[in-house]
Amino acid sequence: MYVMQTYARLPVRFVRGEGVYLFDEKGNRYLDLVGGIAVNVLGYSDQDLIKAICEQAQKLMHISNLFENPWQEEVGRLLVERFWTKGRVFFCNSGTEANEGAIKLVRKYFRERQENRYRIITFYNSFHGRTYGSMSATAQEKIHKGFEPLLDGFDYAVYNDFDSVLRLLRKDTAGIMLEVIQGEGGVRPAHYEFLQKIQELCRKEGLLLVIDEVQTGVGRTGSFFAYEQFDLKPDIVTLAKGLGGGFPIGAILAREEVAQAFSVGSHGSTFGGNPLACACAKVVINKVSNLLDHVKDTGSYFKGGLENLKAGKVRGMGLMLGLDIERDCSSIVKRALELGLVINCTAGSVLRFVPPLIIQKEHVDSALSVLSKIL
Ligand SMILES: *Cc1c(COP(=O)(O)O)cnc(C)c1O
């Protein structure tokens, strides 16, 4: 009645959560394999996260970026320590903002060098967000429709098709931006060789390599950043979703030389990286760093179980998995919900599983038994 109708909402009202479970107003329990779309990495009601929020809220929630912010320095250090080289972080509040800032940083980097390069190659089926820059980077007609004209400066290549990238290369190409596993696009991983060639091309042509880790980052695939498993050395990485464990926070991480292109006044955010958001990210980064082996282990167990269902193609890494049933999967999501299992359908035919990273094998077993009943 009072909220704009931008979402097709499922008919359930969750009132609380505990670990990997959600509970509705009637007290029914649901096993959650969506985790707020790859957000609730520590599950629900994580006591360390709650404690950090309460303690920080008691002291100071927000101060604006007019003042020194040691909380940002601390989270910045934790992220840079996990990066492949020296770097710096800018904090924002969401994935689309992180990508928006990354696009600005790419353009600014070349302007600083007096080079007239601004175009960014992105990929069909990608998803980078809903604001103008990120939406324009997102090569999906259904997301653009009705909002044209888009932001200029994006050229769309075919994912995993290196020749299609080469064909788009121009004198004013500044960078290449991609997800190493396309999330919303249907949990489609890039080929290792494809990414190696992209990285080689970037090095040769002086292009910036931007990896959108908004969904794949923060331990989701079994390494802190998914790019690590593809042996990449990106210039810029964007994060959000899981970073605050449910509290909104996003980040742009760039290697030192690239980060220097942003100077005082180049970019900003009122809320970005406030003490409360940073208190959450600190807990999440520290806890997730101890979960990486668990994610790999549980993820491959889950993947094997999905393959055994023989219900379609299984794709993904760690706890970012997709089952492509090659027909509309929205009715399956509804059926699963009735049986107490929360799953998501993306790209029309792909069941996407991005559960809390604390999920155990016994939960996976019970999810698989519900899925086998439905499929
Ligand atoms: C979800 C997502 C975004 C957008 O994040 P928001 O926080 O919804 O703006 C961007 N990139 C990728 C890869 C995502 O999965």
Side-chain angles (χ1 to χ4, degrees):
M1 284 290 255
Y2 298 106
V3 176
M4 291 194 193
Q5 295 175 304
T6 57
Y7 305 105
R9 296 179 194 272
L10 289 161
V12 62
R13 290 188 183 176
F14 294 123
V15 292
R16 70 183 185 90
E18 187 72 52
V20 292
Y21 294 107
L22 282 165
F23 297 84
D24 68 15
E25 53 194 348
K26 293 178 208 106
N28 297 312
R29 190 179 82 166
Y30 300 78
L31 175 57
D32 179 19
L33 300 187
V34 177
I37 317 186
V39 166
N40 300 307
V41 287
L42 302 179
Y44 298 95
S45 304
D46 178 85
Q47 288 306 308
D48 298 315
L49 187 54
I50 291 172
K51 187 162 169 275
I53 290 172
C54 292
E55 285 181 3
Q56 190 57 51
Q58 293 278 358
K59 287 187 217 150
L60 194 59
M61 280 194 264
H62 178 84
I63 45 168
S64 100
N65 283 304
L66 294 169
F67 308 104
E68 283 194 7
N69 187 321
W71 302 272
Q72 285 183 19
E73 283 298 326
E74 171 77 2
V75 177
R77 180 177 63 80
L78 293 174
L79 290 175
V80 170
E81 276 173 4
R82 285 155 181 78
F83 198 38
W84 65 275
T85 184
K86 257 182 84 178
R88 285 178 193 264
V89 180
F90 176 89
F91 290 102
C92 55
N93 311 285
S94 66
T96 199
E97 277 177 79
N99 288 328
E100 207 72 35
I103 293 161
K104 286 179 69 176
L105 184 58
V106 168
R107 289 191 178 190
K108 189 73 164 32
Y109 174 80
F110 287 102
R111 291 293 140 82
E112 290 293 302
R113 296 157 58 104
Q114 328 280 336
E115 283 185 63
N116 183 29
R117 293 204 207 184
Y118 71 99
R119 304 193 70 84
I120 300 175
I121 295 174
T122 60
F123 293 86
Y124 288 110
N125 249 323
S126 61
F127 185 78
H128 300 296
R130 300 287 197 155
T131 53
Y132 263 96
S134 308
M135 176 177 73
S136 304
T138 297
Q140 289 197 53
E141 214 174 280
K142 69 168 197 276
I143 283 170
H144 296 164
K145 210 166 162 242
F147 299 110
E148 301 89 349
L150 301 175
L151 179 70
D152 178 36
F154 296 97
D155 298 303
Y156 306 142
V158 178
Y159 201 60
N160 282 326
D161 178 348
F162 184 65
D163 289 336
S164 79
V165 177
L166 284 181
R167 282 197 293 274
L168 292 174
L169 206 63
R170 315 169 18 154
K171 275 206 310 286
D172 52 4
T173 303
I176 299 178
M177 174 165 158
L178 54 82
E179 303 151 85
V180 295
I181 305 174
Q182 291 187 329
E184 308 298 308
V187 193
R188 295 174 196 281
H191 300 149
Y192 182 91
E193 288 301 323
F194 170 71
L195 291 181
Q196 288 302 309
K197 284 182 187 166
I198 293 269
Q199 175 158 268
E200 194 51 43
L201 181 71
C202 286
R203 207 171 282 154
K204 206 174 96 212
E205 301 291 335
L207 308 174
L208 295 181
L209 179 58
V210 184
I211 308 290
D212 178 347
E213 294 251 13
V214 169
Q215 189 160 159
T216 54
V218 196
R220 176 59 48 193
T221 67
S223 49
F224 191 81
F225 300 107
Y227 75 72
E228 297 168 48
Q229 298 186 60
F230 295 87
D231 298 323
L232 299 177
K233 294 177 170 175
D235 298 290
I236 302 173
V237 171
T238 55
L239 295 170
K241 287 200 167 83
L243 186 57
F247 198 90
I249 179 169
I252 310 164
L253 171 57
R255 71 179 169 80
E256 181 70 27
E257 186 209 355
V258 175
Q260 292 297 341
F262 271 176
S263 50
V264 171
S266 294
H267 196 46
S269 165
T270 297
F271 293 123
N274 80 15
L276 192 53
C278 288
C280 293
K282 181 179 167 182
V283 171
V284 169
I285 295 166
N286 284 325
K287 289 193 86 165
V288 161
S289 298
N290 295 321
L291 278 171
L292 299 177
D293 287 338
H294 169 81
V295 172
K296 278 199 192 109
D297 190 37
T298 319
S300 61
Y301 181 77
F302 194 177
K303 195 173 187 183
L306 288 172
E307 276 158 358
N308 285 340
L309 292 176
K310 303 209 183 325
K313 282 190 209 94
V314 179
R315 294 189 293 261
M317 286 157 58
L319 287 169
M320 179 173 179
L321 298 171
L323 173 61
D324 192 342
I325 60 169
E326 288 170 342
R327 64 195 148 88
D328 177 52
C329 53
S330 52
S331 62
I332 290 167
V333 170
K334 290 192 185 111
R335 184 78 192 103
L337 196 63
E338 287 163 11
L339 296 173
L341 182 67
V342 181
I343 55 176
N344 169 251
C345 163
T346 190
S349 68
V350 183
L351 294 173
R352 174 174 47 173
F353 308 102
V354 281
L357 304 182
I358 56 165
I359 192 169
Q360 301 291 330
K361 285 178 184 165
E362 71 219 47
H363 304 125
V364 171
D365 287 340
S366 72
L368 287 168
S369 92
V370 174
L371 285 171
S372 84
K373 223 175 284 169
I374 304 172
L375 294 164

